[in-house]
Every structure is written in C-alpha cells, then in structure tokens.
C-alpha cells in the first residue's frame, strides 16, 4: 500500500509500508538507479539512525526496517536529505579467483551465445562488476555489468545441488553461489574463496556497491587454494 513520498539524499522517493516496522523506498531519479540506491544505503548505514535495524538494497528499491512501529519513517529519513555521500568512498574492489575449467554448462553456453568457451571466458573475466544486491540465500552475490554477448537464460531444469563458490550466468546477470544449494543458473566456473561464514563477524566481506574483478586460475591452482582453505 502506497504511503506517500519523502526526500532522501536530494532525491524524491516513493514510500510503501510493507509491515508494521518495514518500509519499501523506490527512487524517482533519471540517473542510474543502482547508484542512487547504493548511495542512500551507505548514508543510512553510516548515519546511526536510532531504531533503524536493517537496510536492504535491491535493484530498484531500498527496504528499511525499524525496531518500532511508532517511528515516522518520512520524518526520520527526510532529516538526512541535505547530507550527501558518494558510494565510491565506501566501496571496495574485490579480486575473485575463478577456475573456468570447472564450469558445468559450457556446451549450453556455447550453443546459446554462438561463442567459444575461450571467448566467453575472456569476455566474462575482462569486465568490472558492481555488487547489485545480496540474496537469494545468505551471501549470494548478484552482479551488475554483464556483457550482453554472454547473456543466457537460466536452465529449464535447475540442478538440485550446485557447489559453493560456483560462478553462474542467469539472464543479464552473473553471480556467485556462496553456499551449496539448488539453482538454475548456467555455471561457467568456480572460485575457491569463501563468500559466507556464519562464524565470522560480519559473515561476509562483500556488500552492495562493491566492485568485483574475476581473475582466471587453473584447476591445479584451484585445488591448491581449496586445500589451504580446508
């Protein structure tokens, strides 16, 4: 149910109440929505707003959760409209090692793109990506910036088990499976790195707005690092 609008970080946002303590904010902006959303998310997280318990950025919206239903979200957040923060000041660039030899869907990728495995690997590893959001399982990384030439639809029959660290393509997105799970993305490689550890604080070092560069490694290098991690 729509609940009005507010000004946040110099941008007008449409506000929807999603529950007693949860609000969904959608920016009304002409520039790239992801940049607007990530900048606002950083601003909220670093402003130490009393009662704010979580900030969840997505591709086209920002969800904020408070610890009380008595908080007037429009008044609280509009107080921040004169502040400005650039996401680049807070974002990190992560180099993630990937063994493309461990891809499980190369035949399908080559058939659907008309490109060779080597061409796809080169295109995928030559881009810098932005972490758009985290989901659908803890630590899963959705990346924005995939080259249209290697955009491929998800599998018609999803797998029941995909190894942790698998790098896949689903439509116009690429992403990383943080944990072993079912999934339907086209798997083109696997990283020996850890992307989610419940015993760590925080459990993941990645956050929306960060940048990612993939670095190609051999199967032998993958096995060596995996053994070290184990």
């Amino acid at each position: 149910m729509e609940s009005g609008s507010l000004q946040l970080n110099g941008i007008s946002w449409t506000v929807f109440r999603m529950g007693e303590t949860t609000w969904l904010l959608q920016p009304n902006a002409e520039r790239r929505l992801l940049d607007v959303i990530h900048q606002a998310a950083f601003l909220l997280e670093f402003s130490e707003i009393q009662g704010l318990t979580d900030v969840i950025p997505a591709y086209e919206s920002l969800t904020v959760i408070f610890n009380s239903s008595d908080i007037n979200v429009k008044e609280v957040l509009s107080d921040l409209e004169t502040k400005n923060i650039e996401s680049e000041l807070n974002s990190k660039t992560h180099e993630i090692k990937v063994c493309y030899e461990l891809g499980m869907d190369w035949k399908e990728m080559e058939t659907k793109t008309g490109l060779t495995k080597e061409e796809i690997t080169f295109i995928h590893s030559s881009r810098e990506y932005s972490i758009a959001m985290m989901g659908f399982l803890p630590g899963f990384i959705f990346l924005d910036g995939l080259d249209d030439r290697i955009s491929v639809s998800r599998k018609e029959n999803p797998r029941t088990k995909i190894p942790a660290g698998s790098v896949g393509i689903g439509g116009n997105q690429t992403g990383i499976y943080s944990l072993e799970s079912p999934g339907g993305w086209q798997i083109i490689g696997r990283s020996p790195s850890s992307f989610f550890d419940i015993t760590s604080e925080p459990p993941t070092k990645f956050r929306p707005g960060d940048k990612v560069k993939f670095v190609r490694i051999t199967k032998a290098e993958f096995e060596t690092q995996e053994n070290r991690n184990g």
Side-chain angles (χ1 to χ4, degrees), residues 11 21 24-25 29 55 64-65 93 112 119 141 149 158 165 169 177 195 207 210:
I11 300 292
T21 62
L24 181 75
L25 283 61
V55 178
V64 291
I65 303 175
T93 299
K112 289 189 173 183
E119 289 172 327
I141 300 173
R149 291 175 293 173
I169 290 176
Y177 285 78
F195 297 95
R207 58 180 295 161
D210 284 357

Side-chain angles (χ1 to χ4, degrees), residues 57 71 131 134 201 206-207:
I71 293 176
I131 298 181
M134 311 292 285
E201 181 57 43
F206 302 91
R207 58 180 295 161

Side-chain angles (χ1 to χ4, degrees), residues 91-146:
S91 65
K92 298 179 181 179
T93 299
H94 306 272
E95 287 194 350
I96 297 176
K97 297 178 181 179
V98 179
C99 175
Y100 289 95
E101 298 172 55
L102 297 177
M104 299 185 286
D105 294 302
W106 281 117
K107 183 176 181 181
E108 193 165 349
M109 285 293 300
E110 289 178 319
T111 299
K112 289 189 173 183
T113 63
L115 301 171
T116 65
K117 174 183 175 181
E118 179 59 30
E119 289 172 327
I120 296 169
T121 298
F122 175 79
I123 293 170
H124 186 265
S125 61
S126 64
R127 304 291 292 263
E128 181 178 75
Y129 301 90
S130 296
I131 298 181
M133 58 180 284
M134 311 292 285
F136 63 104
L137 53 89
F140 186 98
I141 300 173
F142 286 91
L143 295 169
D144 180 62
L146 185 70

Side-chain angles (χ1 to χ4, degrees), residues 12-223:
S12 172
W13 299 69
T14 303
V15 182
F16 301 86
R17 188 158 197 164
M18 305 298 289
E20 290 188 2
T21 62
T22 304
W23 302 78
L24 181 75
L25 283 61
Q26 293 182 327
N28 304 308
E30 295 182 359
R31 59 193 177 98
R32 192 167 178 265
L33 292 186
L34 267 179
D35 291 339
V36 172
I37 290 167
H38 290 154
Q39 288 169 5
F42 284 128
L43 173 60
L44 296 179
E45 290 177 2
F46 286 95
S47 293
E48 299 181 353
I49 300 169
Q50 187 172 2
L52 181 64
T53 61
D54 205 358
V55 178
I56 308 170
Y59 272 95
E60 297 181 349
S61 64
L62 182 67
T63 299
V64 291
I65 303 175
F66 291 86
N67 61 8
S68 171
S69 59
D70 296 329
I71 293 176
N72 186 322
V73 67
K74 287 182 278 187
E75 289 184 2
V76 171
L77 299 190
S78 290
D79 288 341
L80 305 175
E81 65 176 298
T82 58
K83 297 181 181 180
N84 192 16
I85 189 168
E86 292 295 332
S87 63
E88 295 296 333
L89 298 178
N90 296 283
S91 65
K92 298 179 181 179
T93 299
H94 306 272
E95 287 194 350
I96 297 176
K97 297 178 181 179
V98 179
C99 175
Y100 289 95
E101 298 172 55
L102 297 177
M104 299 185 286
D105 294 302
W106 281 117
K107 183 176 181 181
E108 193 165 349
M109 285 293 300
E110 289 178 319
T111 299
K112 289 189 173 183
T113 63
L115 301 171
T116 65
K117 174 183 175 181
E118 179 59 30
E119 289 172 327
I120 296 169
T121 298
F122 175 79
I123 293 170
H124 186 265
S125 61
S126 64
R127 304 291 292 263
E128 181 178 75
Y129 301 90
S130 296
I131 298 181
M133 58 180 284
M134 311 292 285
F136 63 104
L137 53 89
F140 186 98
I141 300 173
F142 286 91
L143 295 169
D144 180 62
L146 185 70
D147 192 302
D148 289 340
R149 291 175 293 173
I150 56 174
S151 174
V152 171
S153 60
R154 292 167 174 79
K155 300 182 72 63
E156 293 184 6
N157 299 304
R159 291 186 173 88
T160 58
K161 185 169 69 174
I162 293 177
S166 292
V167 177
I169 290 176
N172 62 352
Q173 304 171 106
T174 185
I176 307 170
Y177 285 78
S178 52
L179 302 170
E180 181 183 288
S181 76
W185 289 34
Q186 309 286 352
I187 304 303
I188 61 171
R190 190 177 172 198
S191 173
S193 301
S194 173
F195 297 95
F196 186 83
D197 182 358
I198 194 63
T199 64
S200 298
E201 181 57 43
T204 180
K205 62 182 178 181
F206 302 91
R207 58 180 295 161
D210 284 357
K211 308 298 182 184
V212 166
K213 284 281 294 181
F214 291 116
V215 178
R216 300 170 65 172
I217 61 173
T218 65
K219 187 176 181 180
E221 290 172 318
F222 174 92
E223 292 172 348

